[in-house]
Amino acid sequence: MADTKTKEKEPLFSKKNLGLVKDPLADNNPITVQVLGICSALAITAELKASVIMALSVIFVTAMGNVVISLMRNIIPNSIRIITQLVVAATLVILVDLTLKAFVPDLAKKLSVFIGLIITNCIIMGRFEAFALGNTPWKSFLDGIGNGLGYGVILVIVGFFRELLGSGDLFGLGKTYLGHPLLGNPIKGELSGLYALGYENNGFMLLAPMALITLGLIIGFQRSRNKSLIEETH
Amino acid sequence: MDLLQLFLKSIFIDNMVFATFLGMCSYLAVSKKVSTAVGLGAAVIFVMLVTVPLNYLLDQYLLRPGALVWLGDEYVDYDLSFLTFILFIATIATMVQLVEMIVEKFAPALYNSLGIFLPLIAVNCAILGGSLFMQQKEFNNITEATVYGVGSGIGWFLAILAIGAIREKIRYSNVPPAFRGLGITFILTGLMAIGFMSFGGMLTGGDEAPKKEVVEAIPPTEMKEVTPVEEVKTDSTAVETVKDSLTEIAQN
Amino acid sequence: MSTKRTDSNIYTIVFAVILVVVVGSLLAFFANATKDMRVNNDKVKTQLDILSSIGVEATRANATEMFNQYIKKQFVVEGTTATEDAEAYLIDVKKEQNAAKEGKTQRLPIFEAEKDGKTIYIVPVRGNGLWDAIWGYVALNDDLKSIYGVFFDHKGETPGLGANITEPFFKDDFKGEMIYGPSGDFKSVTVSKSNGDPNNTDKTDNEVDAISGATITGNGVTAMLKKGLGLYLPYFETLKK
């Protein structure tokens, strides 16, 4: 799980450093491969907008937290290491929470307790422990961005499908993309697009279980394309 | 009666795993065998039992706006709610450490079966989630908070026990390679969550029966004593309860 | 990576104290800096909700301005007496309901709005849906017998089912609905699954069509309206005179 990186001198954007950002996006994705941080996120993926905000919040916390922990890595007493990490994570999450409440109050309400749950998001603690404690701030920053992005990508994909199929909308703009005339000619009155062909929004996509099933399908899809990720055991 | 309802609701309807996806990391990682699943599940119930009431007290007497009023009237304007996350997680981490030490000292047998799971629990989202939902639900007293905590813990226990059992059996099935392990576990959890949704019918109380007049007319003379009239008819049969939950699902 | 220096107890304690002080002051500073914005956000949200019940769709930017433009007077009702209070809309209905349970008098806010030359009375209501609290505002025409418009919101009803009480198709059904029966007795408005009037053309049946799949939320709305409006009846009687 942990990346094993050497500590030699390298340029800021060396291939290895870029790998820190790129790897978590696909083959070492924190959600689908490392199986970390599913908890705090899936409940809010019924809407794309909430997913994006959540993803940004997590990226901020992983990146900044990694930097802070990395800066402190030589002065943290070993006996209170875990609690120090929790305090750093909690502080950053509170900052995010207060910012959201001040600037996007409506969305903050929707995310409710799930912003707070970023603290116990295993990705955060996992990266602090496995990477930031042993690496320089710059590398830790990239690692944080990478893992946050990898996490965010999955959230956004799940959010995209759930909102599109569940309410025919994206970003809550009140449009029905599936009702676009290009997808089918308006036949019956005001119905257009797929709706004219008899399609209806699948409200079930908005309910909790479908987040899990969507994620299961994404994992299956990823693994069928990259056979090396397939698990031997069940 | 309310407490019983709250208890059942927090186990089945507001199930930590199936309704809010909390504690998924350890749920997925530790559910390969039933025996370990039981160990972790028991530890979660135990820690929830301790931390939810404790955090309830913290919230009531320290964190919420005006909570410091017991110190004196001049503290009525203080609002420490921004410290919620940090204090909750600190309480949880401390309690987990404390519980671990106590169990190790006084019940070594229990420690051997539970002990290895306790450190995992501090970062289990279900525990913090339990406390945060407790705060959001604004319970009236500590009994309700405790019942909610235990109920949620049991709900999580049930979930991990069930998936553990299924994963032990599914190894004899021919799952498509790409879905082996994680993929099928997610889909199974989703299907179980759909199943658990039907528990929502417990709340409908079987009031689907066609009713002519739900609200009794109140003569104008009695207007001053308008009290909320219990809307749920109690004369419906169990069959209608089932029918109701079925329609609810079908209409989804 | 651990050294002798960082393993000593004194170092650990000093480190912990410094950490707590730094984190504490940082958070306190940030919380204070954003406090006004957060408080204001909540106020604006209430104003938007109230305006929405009389069909005025404002944005967060112009909410206060619109609120002052439409809402002419605000009262707090206690029993049958009303006192004017310019900040009545900030009364926490939930707190008042709890106070009423403890035997205290419930302070009931009521707002007098003026739109298109008509006087409209708006009252808040609050109750429970399937999962959690639901609340809203009911705007009554100046005869105090029929509904001008409603606004509903909820904490966590099922998306696509109970959550649809916030949708216009549900709220619009309430427009014009009578809250009194033919003989003048208070009936409130019932969210009904069997009213045989899906298009809601009959405005005197005291019923609106329910959302399928959302029985409990609908019953919650019914109970909330009955209880919420019922509280104001004694005061309405004095207004009509």
Side-chain angles (χ1 to χ4, degrees):
Chain A
M1 185 197 89
D3 308 56
T4 44
K5 301 287 175 201
T6 49
K7 281 187 177 177
E8 54 203 46
K9 277 252 169 198
E10 26 186 13
L12 275 187
F13 284 105
S14 67
K15 206 171 174 200
K16 206 174 265 168
N17 277 348
L18 280 181
L20 289 176
V21 180
K22 266 192 288 184
D23 284 351
L25 282 180
D27 293 345
N28 197 17
N29 189 286
I31 292 188
T32 61
V33 182
Q34 301 178 44
V35 205
L36 293 175
I38 295 115
C39 337
S40 63
L42 285 181
I44 47 88
T45 50
E47 284 168 42
L48 188 53
K49 201 169 167 189
S51 309
V52 170
I53 294 283
M54 188 72 175
L56 290 178
S57 310
V58 171
I59 292 172
F60 172 79
V61 177
T62 46
M64 294 313 292
N66 259 358
V67 170
V68 172
I69 292 288
S70 175
L71 284 173
M72 299 202 302
R73 68 187 187 280
N74 291 325
I75 59 165
I76 298 178
N78 207 31
S79 51
I80 55 166
R81 194 182 74 239
I82 299 285
I83 219 144
T84 309
Q85 291 170 5
L86 280 175
V87 166
V88 170
T91 311
L92 289 167
V93 169
I94 294 173
L95 293 185
V96 169
D97 186 51
L98 290 174
T99 314
L100 290 182
K101 275 187 184 145
F103 292 100
V104 277
D106 296 324
L107 232 90
K109 214 175 219 171
K110 248 175 216 151
L111 294 172
S112 70
V113 304
F114 293 97
I115 284 290
L117 287 172
I118 296 178
I119 300 171
T120 46
N121 190 322
C122 320
I123 294 180
I124 313 274
M125 295 298 288
R127 296 326 291 173
F128 284 3
E129 185 79 14
F131 197 91
L133 276 176
N135 284 289
T136 55
W138 173 244
K139 273 191 186 172
S140 303
F141 177 72
L142 291 179
D143 181 75
I145 295 272
N147 278 284
L149 271 180
Y151 174 88
V153 163
I154 300 290
L155 275 199
V156 168
I157 294 176
V158 177
F160 175 81
F161 282 111
R162 284 184 76 191
E163 187 171 2
L164 186 66
L165 298 180
S167 44
D169 196 358
L170 286 177
F171 287 107
L173 293 175
K175 292 178 185 159
T176 49
Y177 290 91
L178 296 178
H180 197 279
L182 281 179
L183 293 170
N185 290 321
I187 307 169
K188 298 182 265 181
E190 52 197 273
L191 294 177
S192 63
L194 291 182
Y195 298 103
L197 305 171
Y199 175 83
E200 278 195 43
N201 284 331
N202 183 358
F204 204 54
M205 288 302 286
L206 298 176
L207 298 177
M210 285 316 286
L212 291 164
I213 293 177
T214 313
L215 186 55
L217 293 175
I218 292 174
I219 290 172
F221 178 73
Q222 190 192 10
R223 288 181 185 192
S224 62
R225 305 211 7 161
N226 187 346
K227 303 273 190 230
S228 65
L229 295 174
I230 291 174
E231 290 171 54
E232 290 306 317
T233 56
H234 288 289
Chain B
M1 199 56 208
D2 275 354
L3 284 180
L4 182 69
Q5 197 187 352
L6 177 68
F7 184 63
L8 292 175
K9 198 178 155 197
S10 53
I11 295 180
F12 293 108
I13 302 172
D14 288 341
N15 188 288
M16 280 275 164
V17 173
F18 298 132
T20 44
F21 316 107
L22 296 183
M24 288 296 281
C25 308
S26 19
Y27 168 85
L28 292 166
V30 194
S31 63
K32 281 186 181 153
K33 278 169 67 187
V34 169
S35 52
T36 48
V38 168
L40 184 65
V44 166
I45 298 182
F46 193 58
V47 174
M48 289 283 259
L49 171 67
V50 180
T51 56
V52 172
L54 208 62
N55 280 337
Y56 178 81
L57 291 179
L58 263 185
D59 184 45
Q60 287 291 312
Y61 296 108
L62 193 62
L63 292 174
R64 61 177 50 208
L68 286 172
V69 75
W70 56 274
L71 280 176
D73 282 342
E74 67 270 31
Y75 291 98
V76 75
D77 285 335
Y78 283 76
D79 176 5
L80 293 180
S81 52
F82 66 91
L83 289 174
T84 301
F85 299 153
I86 218 164
L87 279 183
F88 277 11
I89 195 72
T91 312
I92 289 165
T94 321
M95 283 323 291
V96 169
Q97 195 77 47
L98 216 63
V99 165
E100 195 182 346
M101 275 148 62
I102 292 171
V103 172
E104 188 179 11
K105 181 115 182 154
F106 295 105
L110 184 66
Y111 180 75
N112 285 337
S113 54
L114 265 188
I116 48 164
F117 298 114
L118 283 169
L120 270 180
I121 284 184
V123 286
N124 186 328
C125 330
I127 309 288
L128 181 63
S131 288
L132 290 176
F133 273 115
M134 172 273 297
Q135 187 193 34
Q136 197 193 34
K137 284 174 192 280
E138 298 174 10
F139 290 122
N140 294 320
N141 52 51
I142 192 165
T143 323
E144 280 182 26
T146 315
V147 167
Y148 173 77
V150 177
S152 306
I154 294 176
W156 200 86
F157 175 84
L158 274 184
I160 194 170
L161 183 64
I163 196 76
I166 293 176
R167 285 181 82 173
E168 270 193 7
K169 294 291 172 205
I170 210 170
R171 115 175 24 130
Y172 305 111
S173 317
N174 187 16
V175 179
F179 283 97
R180 267 176 210 161
L182 199 54
I184 195 72
T185 311
F186 269 117
I187 293 176
L188 278 172
T189 312
L191 293 175
M192 284 159 75
I194 296 174
F196 264 65
M197 277 177 65
S198 50
F199 283 117
M202 289 200 309
L203 285 185
T204 59
D207 57 344
E208 185 76 357
K211 48 208 166 189
K212 296 277 183 309
E213 188 73 289
V214 187
V215 183
E216 306 302 325
I218 299 173
T221 46
E222 287 175 25
M223 267 180 200
K224 285 205 171 162
E225 283 140 55
V226 173
T227 45
V229 179
E230 200 51 60
E231 309 291 336
V232 181
K233 293 225 169 178
T234 45
D235 59 345
S236 321
T237 59
V239 183
E240 277 152 351
T241 319
V242 177
K243 233 202 285 174
D244 182 47
S245 38
L246 285 179
T247 15
E248 294 252 344
I249 296 163
Q251 278 159 345
N252 288 340
Chain C
M1 56 164 222
S2 59
T3 61
K4 274 177 198 159
R5 182 173 57 93
T6 54
D7 279 346
S8 82
N9 279 342
I10 295 173
Y11 179 84
T12 305
I13 293 169
V14 170
F15 180 86
V17 169
I18 292 176
L19 187 71
V20 167
V21 169
V22 170
V23 164
S25 33
L26 175 72
L27 289 182
F29 170 75
F30 203 78
N32 254 332
T34 55
K35 191 174 180 190
D36 289 345
M37 286 177 81
R38 283 178 289 134
V39 170
N40 191 41
N41 283 335
D42 290 345
K43 273 188 195 172
V44 168
K45 178 75 182 121
T46 315
Q47 293 173 341
L48 285 176
D49 293 352
I50 294 173
L51 286 176
S52 169
S53 72
I54 53 169
V56 177
E57 298 302 334
T59 59
R60 276 192 177 270
N62 65 4
T64 311
E65 187 190 328
M66 302 279 266
F67 188 76
N68 293 335
Q69 182 190 336
Y70 283 101
I71 307 296
K72 296 297 176 198
K73 281 178 189 161
Q74 302 179 40
F75 299 98
V76 180
V77 180
E78 282 172 279
T80 51
T81 54
T83 30
E84 195 162 347
D85 180 349
E87 297 221 311
Y89 73 101
L90 293 178
I91 286 179
D92 187 338
V93 179
K94 186 185 165 162
K95 264 188 199 157
E96 294 302 322
Q97 282 178 349
N98 286 340
K101 271 185 210 153
E102 288 164 14
K104 291 176 194 151
T105 325
Q106 185 170 350
R107 292 158 69 222
L108 304 164
I110 182 166
F111 320 113
E112 202 182 305
E114 207 177 288
K115 193 186 171 194
D116 307 330
K118 276 175 66 182
T119 307
I120 303 163
Y121 296 94
I122 308 169
V123 299
V125 287
R126 190 181 171 94
N128 288 309
L130 171 59
W131 303 111
D132 218 319
I134 51 177
W135 62 92
Y137 292 93
V138 180
L140 297 166
N141 288 318
D142 59 352
D143 59 357
L144 290 169
K145 281 180 182 159
S146 57
I147 290 179
Y148 180 84
V150 289
F151 167 84
F152 295 126
D153 206 348
H154 63 97
K155 205 166 186 176
E157 297 307 301
T158 323
L161 299 173
N164 278 353
I165 59 168
T166 60
E167 294 293 317
F169 77 81
F170 181 68
K171 291 189 291 186
D172 287 352
D173 275 3
F174 284 87
K175 282 182 186 165
E177 201 68 42
M178 300 290 289
I179 60 169
Y180 288 93
S183 52
D185 45 342
F186 174 65
K187 287 207 164 188
S188 179
V189 176
T190 303
V191 179
S192 167
K193 290 209 134 186
S194 52
N195 67 345
D197 179 23
N199 292 328
N200 198 44
T201 42
D202 183 359
K203 294 291 183 188
T204 57
D205 61 356
N206 311 112
E207 284 185 347
V208 294
D209 202 32
I211 303 168
S212 39
T215 316
I216 301 296
T217 312
N219 289 351
V221 172
T222 306
M224 168 173 85
L225 291 177
K226 188 168 176 60
K227 186 181 171 195
L229 292 174
L231 289 170
Y232 287 89
L233 289 180
Y235 177 65
F236 287 169
E237 291 304 310
T238 64
L239 270 186
K240 282 179 199 163
K241 276 166 199 166

